[in-house]
Amino acid sequence: MTLISTLSGHDETTKPLLDMIAELPQLPDDFDFGDDIHTAHEVLLSDEATEEEKRAALFKFTSRRQPCLFGRLASHADKGESATKGLGIDLVWIHEWEMALDRDYVTAKIQRARREWKDRAERGESSGFLIMFNSRKLAYAKPSKELLDICVEVSNLYLVEHAPIDVDVIYTEAVPLRRADGQLTLFKAGCNIFYAGAHMTVNHDRRLPGGLMFSMNSPGHFANSLVLRGIRESFEDAVDFVRETAFRSIGNGGIGCPHMPSASWHNEADDNSDMVDGRKRPHYIPDNFDPSRYSAVYHTDVLCPTAVTTDDRLIKEHYSENDAEVWPYLILDYITTDVFPEDHVNHGLFHGHEIEDCGKYHNPWPARVAHNKELFEY
């Protein structure tokens, strides 16, 4: 048994990932994903298209149809169009033929790319990491318990230090950055999964063509790298830019279907006197929005959320018709120049956790079960 097999919780007798994918319940061949996904699928699900062409098609989609503006910045940066914004991202592509091989092969490819990404992240060149599992069966997978099982299985191949992965749990990636004084630090990054079958379901804002994709992004690493590379003059300026980008990402969903509401929205505050700064913001951000908390129909930090991944009901007018659970206490107060102690949940988000060089590829952040309640005690 190899080391990777031991870490990922699998042995050589485990069937190939593609065999498990083949058993996924499927949406009908004529399922309407929306014109944007159908256009992307002409390339992403083509047997003739090259990986380079597929990457370009994916980034074309995410640069325009991704609710999260950090994702859009990264997509433009991949095409060399966003040097002034400076959000770099790495992408490893897992082809369908690779999913038919032993899982050790897939794990090894992901872990090599993960280490290469962290080498670039150390220099401030990349703050995000994507893993694309490109497969027609995954693209047409119907929300179901079987799809949730696939999300868990592929998570085991990526977050080997946390395997076996549990559902409804927050897992955090560790992103290295070497400060100007030479000190190596680690930043927390969120881990999320996107897939085509999310279209028109409670998980609509996680829709993505071509299969299933992991997305890891560290806003704090991004802010610090902007200063390190001279793109922003000060840390305060960089944090302000990242905070404003986060504000504009919340409530920006519902893309790809004319009647879909955003899966996230801003809470309203009783007193917003401290927030008046004269900025003109999009219509979906109320004048009295709460800058510290927002709401969504899922916990946006959970890697494999049971309810939204298994619910195949299509939304007609509003999420309430599907009895979707609302999470009203999702936090934004970590986007700050404030320093938090090591036992605080916000530690490592915008001020790096100092480490020795030997810990560059280590992920020290423990998993955390998501609870739908206010975090009065961190």
Side-chain angles (χ1 to χ4, degrees), residues 345-358:
V345 70
N346 289 349
H347 174 72
L349 286 170
F350 272 76
H351 288 274
H353 175 69
E354 296 184 359
I355 61 167
E356 299 292 333
D357 282 14
C358 61

Side-chain angles (χ1 to χ4, degrees), residues 318-367:
H318 197 272
Y319 292 112
S320 60
E321 73 175 26
N322 279 43
D323 302 320
E325 180 179 8
V326 174
W327 295 71
Y329 309 114
L330 304 178
I331 63 172
L332 284 170
D333 60 3
Y334 65 90
I335 309 178
T336 177
T337 58
D338 293 347
V339 179
F340 298 94
E342 289 193 15
D343 60 350
H344 196 287
V345 70
N346 289 349
H347 174 72
L349 286 170
F350 272 76
H351 288 274
H353 175 69
E354 296 184 359
I355 61 167
E356 299 292 333
D357 282 14
C358 61
K360 174 181 172 181
Y361 302 112
H362 176 58
N363 183 1
W365 316 121

Side-chain angles (χ1 to χ4, degrees), residues 245-257:
T245 303
F247 288 161
R248 292 169 181 266
S249 297
I250 295 165
N252 191 37
I255 298 171
C257 188

